Amino acid sequence: MKNILIVEDDTNINNLLKEALTKSGYSCDQAFSGTEAGLLLKMNAYALVLLDLMLPGISGKEVLTQIREKGSIPVIVLTAKDGLDEKVTLLTSGADDYITKPFEIQEVLARIQVQLRHASKEPEEHILSFRDLTLNRDTFQVRIGQEVLPKITKQEFAILELLLKHQKQVFSKEDIFEYAWKEPYMGETKTLDVHISNIRKKIKAVTEEEYIETVWGIGYRLHT
Protein backbone atom coordinates (compact mmCIF):
# COMPACT_ATOMS: atom_id res chain seq x y z
CA MET A 1 0.00 0.00 0.00
CA LYS A 2 1.49 3.35 -1.02
CA ASN A 3 1.91 5.89 1.76
CA ILE A 4 0.98 9.50 1.05
CA LEU A 5 1.73 12.52 3.20
CA ILE A 6 -0.99 15.17 3.29
CA VAL A 7 0.32 18.58 4.34
CA GLU A 8 -2.61 20.95 4.79
CA ASP A 9 -3.38 23.25 7.71
CA ASP A 10 -7.13 23.36 7.01
CA THR A 11 -8.44 20.48 9.10
CA ASN A 12 -11.56 19.95 6.98
CA ILE A 13 -9.61 19.75 3.73
CA ASN A 14 -6.92 17.56 5.29
CA ASN A 15 -9.53 15.13 6.65
CA LEU A 16 -11.45 15.14 3.36
CA LEU A 17 -8.29 14.21 1.47
CA LYS A 18 -7.40 11.50 3.95
CA GLU A 19 -10.87 9.94 3.75
CA ALA A 20 -10.85 9.92 -0.06
CA LEU A 21 -7.32 8.56 -0.32
CA THR A 22 -7.96 5.86 2.26
CA LYS A 23 -11.08 4.76 0.36
CA SER A 24 -8.94 4.57 -2.77
CA GLY A 25 -6.49 2.17 -1.13
CA TYR A 26 -3.72 4.50 0.04
CA SER A 27 -2.38 4.85 3.55
CA CYS A 28 -1.97 8.43 4.73
CA ASP A 29 -0.16 10.52 7.28
CA GLN A 30 -1.45 13.98 8.07
CA ALA A 31 0.59 17.09 8.81
CA PHE A 32 -1.03 20.41 9.69
CA SER A 33 2.08 22.61 9.59
CA GLY A 34 5.33 22.80 7.70
CA THR A 35 7.26 21.91 10.83
CA GLU A 36 5.19 18.77 11.36
CA ALA A 37 5.65 17.84 7.71
CA GLY A 38 9.42 18.17 8.06
CA LEU A 39 9.45 15.83 11.03
CA LEU A 40 7.30 13.20 9.30
CA LEU A 41 9.46 13.35 6.18
CA LYS A 42 12.54 12.61 8.30
CA MET A 43 10.84 9.66 10.01
CA ASN A 44 8.96 7.98 7.15
CA ALA A 45 9.17 7.14 3.46
CA TYR A 46 6.39 8.43 1.24
CA ALA A 47 5.31 7.62 -2.29
CA LEU A 48 3.89 11.11 -2.79
CA VAL A 49 3.30 14.37 -0.93
CA LEU A 50 0.23 16.59 -1.22
CA LEU A 51 1.52 19.98 -0.13
CA ASP A 52 -0.34 23.15 0.73
CA LEU A 53 1.76 26.31 0.43
CA MET A 54 0.19 28.56 3.06
CA LEU A 55 1.26 26.75 6.20
CA PRO A 56 1.99 27.89 9.75
CA GLY A 57 5.62 27.52 10.80
CA ILE A 58 7.77 26.46 7.86
CA SER A 59 6.10 27.49 4.60
CA GLY A 60 5.09 25.02 1.92
CA LYS A 61 7.78 26.39 -0.39
CA GLU A 62 10.43 25.70 2.23
CA VAL A 63 9.09 22.17 2.70
CA LEU A 64 9.26 21.68 -1.06
CA THR A 65 12.88 22.84 -1.08
CA GLN A 66 13.72 20.40 1.72
CA ILE A 67 12.08 17.54 -0.18
CA ARG A 68 13.99 18.33 -3.36
CA GLU A 69 17.30 18.54 -1.50
CA LYS A 70 16.83 14.94 -0.38
CA GLY A 71 15.18 13.18 -3.28
CA SER A 72 12.59 12.99 -6.02
CA ILE A 73 9.35 12.13 -4.21
CA PRO A 74 6.46 13.31 -6.39
CA VAL A 75 4.96 16.50 -4.93
CA ILE A 76 1.56 17.88 -5.87
CA VAL A 77 1.07 21.42 -4.59
CA LEU A 78 -2.32 22.58 -3.39
CA THR A 79 -2.65 26.29 -4.02
CA ALA A 80 -5.32 28.98 -3.96
CA LYS A 81 -3.30 31.05 -6.44
CA ASP A 82 -4.13 30.39 -10.07
CA GLY A 83 -1.95 32.98 -11.80
CA LEU A 84 0.33 31.77 -14.58
CA ASP A 85 3.46 33.18 -12.93
CA GLU A 86 2.67 31.34 -9.70
CA LYS A 87 2.15 28.04 -11.53
CA VAL A 88 5.37 28.42 -13.49
CA THR A 89 7.26 29.25 -10.30
CA LEU A 90 5.88 26.16 -8.57
CA LEU A 91 6.87 23.82 -11.38
CA THR A 92 10.34 25.29 -11.76
CA SER A 93 10.82 25.11 -7.99
CA GLY A 94 10.44 21.34 -7.98
CA ALA A 95 6.70 20.64 -7.80
CA ASP A 96 5.60 17.83 -10.11
CA ASP A 97 2.06 19.15 -10.42
CA TYR A 98 -0.34 21.59 -8.81
CA ILE A 99 -4.04 21.68 -8.06
CA THR A 100 -5.91 24.93 -7.63
CA LYS A 101 -8.32 25.27 -4.74
CA PRO A 102 -11.21 24.66 -4.60
CA PHE A 103 -10.76 21.27 -6.24
CA GLU A 104 -12.78 18.20 -7.05
CA ILE A 105 -11.55 15.14 -5.20
CA GLN A 106 -11.75 13.07 -8.40
CA GLU A 107 -9.20 15.38 -9.99
CA VAL A 108 -6.88 14.99 -7.01
CA LEU A 109 -7.12 11.20 -7.22
CA ALA A 110 -6.48 11.23 -10.97
CA ARG A 111 -3.42 13.47 -10.65
CA ILE A 112 -2.04 11.29 -7.85
CA GLN A 113 -2.40 8.21 -10.07
CA VAL A 114 -0.55 9.94 -12.89
CA GLN A 115 2.35 10.96 -10.66
CA LEU A 116 2.64 7.53 -9.06
CA ARG A 117 2.57 5.89 -12.48
CA HIS A 118 5.40 8.12 -13.69
CA ALA A 119 7.40 7.53 -10.52
CA SER A 120 7.08 3.75 -10.80
CA LYS A 121 8.62 3.60 -14.25
CA GLU A 122 12.12 2.30 -14.25
CA PRO A 123 14.57 4.61 -15.94
CA GLU A 124 15.48 3.33 -19.36
CA GLU A 125 19.06 2.20 -19.69
CA HIS A 126 20.91 4.24 -22.30
CA ILE A 127 23.87 1.89 -22.51
CA LEU A 128 23.42 -1.84 -23.06
CA SER A 129 26.32 -4.25 -23.08
CA PHE A 130 27.09 -7.92 -23.65
CA ARG A 131 30.67 -9.14 -23.39
CA ASP A 132 32.69 -6.56 -25.41
CA LEU A 133 29.64 -5.37 -27.35
CA THR A 134 28.24 -2.02 -26.17
CA LEU A 135 25.21 -0.21 -27.56
CA ASN A 136 24.74 3.46 -26.73
CA ARG A 137 21.23 4.80 -27.32
CA ASP A 138 22.31 8.42 -26.92
CA THR A 139 25.02 8.38 -29.55
CA PHE A 140 23.46 5.64 -31.72
CA GLN A 141 26.78 3.83 -31.71
CA VAL A 142 27.64 0.15 -31.39
CA ARG A 143 31.13 -0.76 -30.21
CA ILE A 144 33.17 -3.90 -29.89
CA GLY A 145 35.67 -2.94 -27.24
CA GLN A 146 36.86 0.50 -28.36
CA GLU A 147 36.03 -0.10 -32.05
CA VAL A 148 32.88 1.55 -33.39
CA LEU A 149 30.98 -0.60 -35.88
CA PRO A 150 30.63 1.40 -39.12
CA LYS A 151 27.37 2.45 -40.73
CA ILE A 152 24.92 0.70 -38.43
CA THR A 153 21.44 1.19 -39.84
CA LYS A 154 18.35 2.00 -37.81
CA GLN A 155 17.03 -1.56 -38.12
CA GLU A 156 20.40 -3.14 -37.31
CA PHE A 157 20.63 -0.98 -34.22
CA ALA A 158 17.10 -1.97 -33.16
CA ILE A 159 17.82 -5.69 -33.67
CA LEU A 160 20.87 -5.49 -31.44
CA GLU A 161 18.98 -3.38 -28.92
CA LEU A 162 16.25 -6.03 -28.61
CA LEU A 163 18.75 -8.86 -28.19
CA LEU A 164 20.83 -6.95 -25.63
CA LYS A 165 17.77 -5.99 -23.60
CA HIS A 166 16.80 -9.67 -23.25
CA GLN A 167 20.11 -11.49 -23.36
CA LYS A 168 18.92 -15.04 -22.66
CA GLN A 169 15.76 -14.92 -24.74
CA VAL A 170 15.26 -16.50 -28.16
CA PHE A 171 13.27 -14.21 -30.46
CA SER A 172 11.27 -15.36 -33.42
CA LYS A 173 11.84 -13.61 -36.73
CA GLU A 174 8.34 -12.19 -36.40
CA ASP A 175 9.15 -10.62 -33.01
CA ILE A 176 12.43 -9.15 -34.23
CA PHE A 177 10.93 -7.79 -37.43
CA GLU A 178 8.02 -6.08 -35.69
CA TYR A 179 10.36 -4.54 -33.09
CA ALA A 180 12.90 -3.26 -35.59
CA TRP A 181 10.57 -2.16 -38.39
CA LYS A 182 7.57 -1.10 -36.30
CA GLU A 183 5.22 -2.76 -38.73
CA PRO A 184 3.40 -6.11 -38.97
CA TYR A 185 5.43 -9.13 -40.05
CA MET A 186 4.10 -10.44 -43.37
CA GLY A 187 5.96 -13.74 -43.46
CA GLU A 188 8.89 -12.60 -45.60
CA THR A 189 12.19 -13.47 -43.91
CA LYS A 190 14.74 -12.33 -46.48
CA THR A 191 14.88 -8.72 -45.30
CA LEU A 192 15.54 -9.69 -41.69
CA ASP A 193 18.06 -12.36 -42.65
CA VAL A 194 20.00 -9.83 -44.74
CA HIS A 195 20.14 -7.41 -41.81
CA ILE A 196 21.32 -10.14 -39.45
CA SER A 197 23.97 -11.09 -42.00
CA ASN A 198 25.11 -7.47 -42.27
CA ILE A 199 25.39 -7.15 -38.50
CA ARG A 200 27.52 -10.30 -38.38
CA LYS A 201 29.79 -8.97 -41.13
CA LYS A 202 30.31 -5.69 -39.29
CA ILE A 203 31.10 -7.51 -36.06
CA LYS A 204 33.41 -9.95 -37.86
CA ALA A 205 35.38 -7.01 -39.26
CA VAL A 206 36.38 -6.25 -35.67
CA THR A 207 36.46 -9.62 -33.93
CA GLU A 208 36.23 -13.33 -34.66
CA GLU A 209 33.86 -13.83 -31.73
CA GLU A 210 30.25 -14.72 -32.54
CA TYR A 211 27.58 -12.52 -30.99
CA ILE A 212 24.36 -13.63 -32.70
CA GLU A 213 23.27 -17.25 -32.70
CA THR A 214 20.74 -18.76 -35.08
CA VAL A 215 18.26 -21.03 -33.34
CA TRP A 216 17.05 -23.17 -36.20
CA GLY A 217 13.30 -23.25 -36.66
CA ILE A 218 12.79 -20.43 -34.14
CA GLY A 219 14.88 -17.30 -34.69
CA TYR A 220 17.85 -15.59 -33.07
CA ARG A 221 19.45 -14.87 -29.72
CA LEU A 222 22.76 -13.65 -28.37
CA HIS A 223 25.52 -16.23 -28.66
CA THR A 224 26.38 -17.42 -25.16
Side-chain angles (χ1 to χ4, degrees), residues 2-4 26 46-49 73-74 76 109-121:
K2 294 187 183 300
N3 195 19
I4 293 177
Y26 302 106
Y46 294 100
L48 183 141
V49 178
I73 304 172
I76 300 177
L109 294 173
R111 289 179 182 271
I112 287 173
Q113 288 178 10
V114 169
Q115 291 303 322
L116 291 178
R117 190 163 60 241
H118 287 168
S120 67
K121 289 183 178 177

XYZ file of all heavy atoms in Angstrom, residues 2-4 26 46-49 73-74 76 109-121:
198
model
N 0.658 2.141 -0.910
C 1.488 3.347 -1.018
C 1.094 4.347 0.068
O -0.084 4.576 0.311
C 1.337 3.967 -2.406
C 1.889 3.080 -3.509
C 1.882 3.778 -4.838
C 2.381 2.854 -5.952
N 3.744 2.388 -5.722
N 2.120 4.957 0.654
C 1.905 5.886 1.756
C 2.034 7.322 1.255
O 3.036 7.687 0.650
C 2.931 5.608 2.861
C 2.552 6.271 4.155
O 1.388 6.650 4.354
N 3.503 6.407 5.054
N 1.011 8.118 1.519
C 0.982 9.502 1.046
C 0.936 10.451 2.237
O 0.191 10.219 3.196
C -0.240 9.731 0.128
C -0.068 8.915 -1.161
C -0.423 11.220 -0.194
C -1.244 9.002 -2.104
N -5.000 3.963 -0.411
C -3.715 4.499 0.038
C -3.703 4.577 1.564
O -4.755 4.714 2.196
C -3.486 5.909 -0.528
C -3.513 5.986 -2.030
C -4.603 6.535 -2.703
C -2.445 5.515 -2.782
C -4.628 6.607 -4.091
C -2.460 5.586 -4.171
C -3.558 6.130 -4.815
O -3.585 6.200 -6.186
N 7.685 8.187 1.875
C 6.390 8.431 1.239
C 6.490 8.247 -0.269
O 7.516 8.550 -0.885
C 5.900 9.845 1.554
C 5.602 10.037 3.024
C 6.518 10.670 3.858
C 4.425 9.535 3.571
C 6.262 10.815 5.215
C 4.158 9.682 4.932
C 5.083 10.314 5.739
O 4.814 10.437 7.078
N 5.380 7.774 -0.837
C 5.315 7.621 -2.290
C 4.977 8.939 -2.962
O 5.334 9.156 -4.134
C 4.274 6.566 -2.656
N 4.317 9.827 -2.215
C 3.892 11.112 -2.794
C 3.524 12.059 -1.653
O 3.111 11.618 -0.579
C 2.682 10.896 -3.710
C 2.127 12.095 -4.478
C 1.702 11.673 -5.892
C 0.928 12.710 -3.763
N 3.676 13.358 -1.925
C 3.300 14.373 -0.933
C 2.295 15.331 -1.567
O 2.522 15.847 -2.661
C 4.530 15.174 -0.449
C 4.093 16.260 0.536
C 5.551 14.247 0.200
N 10.736 12.531 -4.510
C 9.352 12.134 -4.213
C 8.410 13.034 -5.020
O 8.576 14.259 -5.017
C 9.031 12.329 -2.715
C 10.005 11.582 -1.837
C 7.594 11.880 -2.417
C 9.842 11.912 -0.350
N 7.421 12.461 -5.695
C 6.457 13.314 -6.390
C 5.725 14.239 -5.404
O 5.299 13.796 -4.342
C 5.480 12.307 -7.013
C 6.243 11.028 -7.093
C 7.163 11.031 -5.917
N 2.664 17.132 -5.255
C 1.564 17.885 -5.873
C 1.214 19.022 -4.923
O 0.879 18.797 -3.759
C 0.330 16.997 -6.117
C 0.690 15.843 -7.055
C -0.816 17.826 -6.687
C -0.462 14.867 -7.291
N -7.430 12.623 -7.113
C -7.117 11.195 -7.221
C -6.481 10.869 -8.578
O -5.535 10.085 -8.660
C -8.383 10.363 -7.011
C -8.984 10.430 -5.598
C -10.333 9.715 -5.562
C -8.037 9.819 -4.574
N -7.024 11.490 -9.629
C -6.483 11.228 -10.971
C -5.047 11.731 -11.090
O -4.165 11.049 -11.642
C -7.359 11.893 -12.030
N -4.774 12.911 -10.560
C -3.418 13.465 -10.652
C -2.431 12.669 -9.799
O -1.262 12.517 -10.162
C -3.431 14.944 -10.250
C -4.105 15.833 -11.281
C -4.130 17.283 -10.847
N -4.804 18.123 -11.812
C -4.202 18.722 -12.845
N -2.912 18.564 -13.024
N -4.892 19.468 -13.675
N -2.905 12.153 -8.671
C -2.044 11.291 -7.848
C -1.679 10.030 -8.632
O -0.520 9.598 -8.645
C -2.756 10.928 -6.527
C -2.793 12.147 -5.606
C -2.066 9.749 -5.834
C -3.616 11.943 -4.354
N -2.663 9.427 -9.288
C -2.400 8.211 -10.069
C -1.368 8.466 -11.154
O -0.473 7.641 -11.396
C -3.704 7.695 -10.694
C -4.650 7.071 -9.683
C -5.946 6.623 -10.324
O -6.077 6.613 -11.549
N -6.914 6.250 -9.510
N -1.492 9.610 -11.823
C -0.546 9.938 -12.895
C 0.871 10.060 -12.340
O 1.831 9.499 -12.891
C -0.953 11.250 -13.591
C 0.169 11.733 -14.512
C -2.236 11.057 -14.374
N 1.014 10.775 -11.233
C 2.352 10.965 -10.658
C 2.952 9.654 -10.166
O 4.148 9.393 -10.351
C 2.289 11.986 -9.506
C 2.008 13.397 -9.959
C 3.016 13.905 -10.974
O 4.211 13.610 -10.874
N 2.556 14.664 -11.951
N 2.129 8.811 -9.547
C 2.638 7.530 -9.058
C 3.020 6.620 -10.221
O 3.994 5.872 -10.131
C 1.584 6.856 -8.169
C 1.311 7.547 -6.833
C 0.207 6.811 -6.074
C 2.578 7.600 -5.989
N 2.241 6.700 -11.304
C 2.571 5.887 -12.482
C 3.911 6.320 -13.069
O 4.744 5.486 -13.419
C 1.454 6.015 -13.519
C 1.563 5.027 -14.669
C 0.268 4.896 -15.417
N -0.182 6.148 -15.986
C -1.337 6.726 -15.669
N -2.141 6.181 -14.786
N -1.695 7.870 -16.229
N 4.123 7.622 -13.167
C 5.399 8.122 -13.690
C 6.557 7.730 -12.777
O 7.623 7.336 -13.236
C 5.361 9.652 -13.809
C 4.504 10.116 -14.933
N 4.121 11.431 -15.086
C 3.917 9.444 -15.943
C 3.364 11.537 -16.166
N 3.229 10.348 -16.704
N 6.327 7.820 -11.477
C 7.397 7.531 -10.520
C 7.775 6.059 -10.514
O 8.915 5.709 -10.201
C 6.978 7.954 -9.115
N 6.822 5.189 -10.871
C 7.080 3.748 -10.798
C 7.823 3.228 -12.011
O 8.310 2.102 -12.004
C 5.762 2.981 -10.654
O 4.984 3.109 -11.834
N 7.919 4.055 -13.056
C 8.620 3.601 -14.253
C 10.101 3.535 -13.997
O 10.703 4.472 -13.494
C 8.356 4.552 -15.435
C 6.943 4.457 -15.968
C 6.778 5.358 -17.159
C 5.374 5.231 -17.737
N 5.171 6.166 -18.866
